[in-house]
Amino acid sequence: MSTNGMQNLEQGNRVYAADFTQGDLALPPSQNYAVLTCMDARIDPAAAFGIPLGAAHVIRNAGASARDAFRSLVVSQQLLGTTEVLVVKHTGCGMLTFDNETAKDLVRKNKGFAAAKEVEGIDFLSFSDLEAKIKEDVEWLKSTAIEEGIRITGWVYEIESGKVRQVV
Amino acid sequence: MSTNGMQNLEQGNRVYAADFTQGDLALPPSQNYAVLTCMDARIDPAAAFGIPLGAAHVIRNAGASARDAFRSLVVSQQLLGTTEVLVVKHTGCGMLTFDNETAKDLVRKNKGFAAAKEVEGIDFLSFSDLEAKIKEDVEWLKSTAIEEGIRITGWVYEIESGKVRQVV
């Protein structure tokens, strides 16, 4: 059975590969930076954040959590030489809509007690104030930065307008 | 001081936002799937994997690690209703080039003993066999899937050709 995802992947990739000419890009990002943003379906980082192919690492998780991205950021900075991180969270983020208790209640309601029990130990890393959380993540990254001289900035992407603005 | 990343973001976003017309997309992915892929700078998932804006969550970390993506996948499936995961790792992945010891040696060599000491506790989640690791991650996700009925497939993206092929 073919699914939405498989169909998009196979058909979209056929078109993409037919015109593909950038097979010789180097492994380390050519512009030495990393973007940390949310997995939200409404964000297309390459297009919306102007990232040329090969230029930057793009790390994505639920809520653009810096803690959750720590291993990837260490690899990016320590092993692949990036010197800049853009933290981009966004308006309308799912992680703004529930705390751990609400999330677990939702799982119980949607999926039943067995499922709720299995997610009991998870910290969903949700947050209630978008700009405050961006500042907090940037501060945390600065305080834990393994290396001096990494430039870290924080931004809001507005899913309603497609615009970014700098917070910190 | 403006940096590469900030310049790309501000200039690229100005162009993107000027033509942006999709400000009313819903929070849950419209095509109910998630893509888990690597943070590698040479991958543009929306273009290479045919993902329409708003259709799918895109989770990215170093090596497209399923374990590292667990929290995000729980949010995607349990709270936002996705029912399919495409795991896409790629040729030439940085995580193929070192194990934990090699990574820590590299940090020591590049950044000195203080940095090496700070990453001592990290599991880099590197791997040595691309296709075997894809199969292993898909199996692990199936075994830990909180919910029945999630369709999980595994793919290789060839950075040399821009082509994907299914592994499992």
Side-chain angles (χ1 to χ4, degrees), chain A residues 42 159-161, chain B residues 20-27:
Chain A
R42 298 165 294 181
I159 51 152
E160 301 83 4
S161 67
Chain B
F20 186 74
T21 57
Q22 296 185 274
D24 56 358
L25 296 171
L27 168 62

Side-chain angles (χ1 to χ4, degrees), chain A residues 103-119 124, chain B residues 73-83 145-150:
Chain A
K104 284 163 196 179
D105 284 350
L106 259 175
V107 173
R108 194 174 302 120
K109 186 171 155 234
N110 294 340
K111 314 292 179 182
F113 278 102
K117 205 166 160 57
E118 293 193 53
V119 300
F124 283 93
Chain B
L73 286 168
V74 168
V75 171
S76 182
Q77 292 168 21
Q78 294 281 316
L79 299 174
L80 293 166
T82 61
T83 56
I146 302 162
E147 193 183 349
E148 300 292 312
I150 303 285

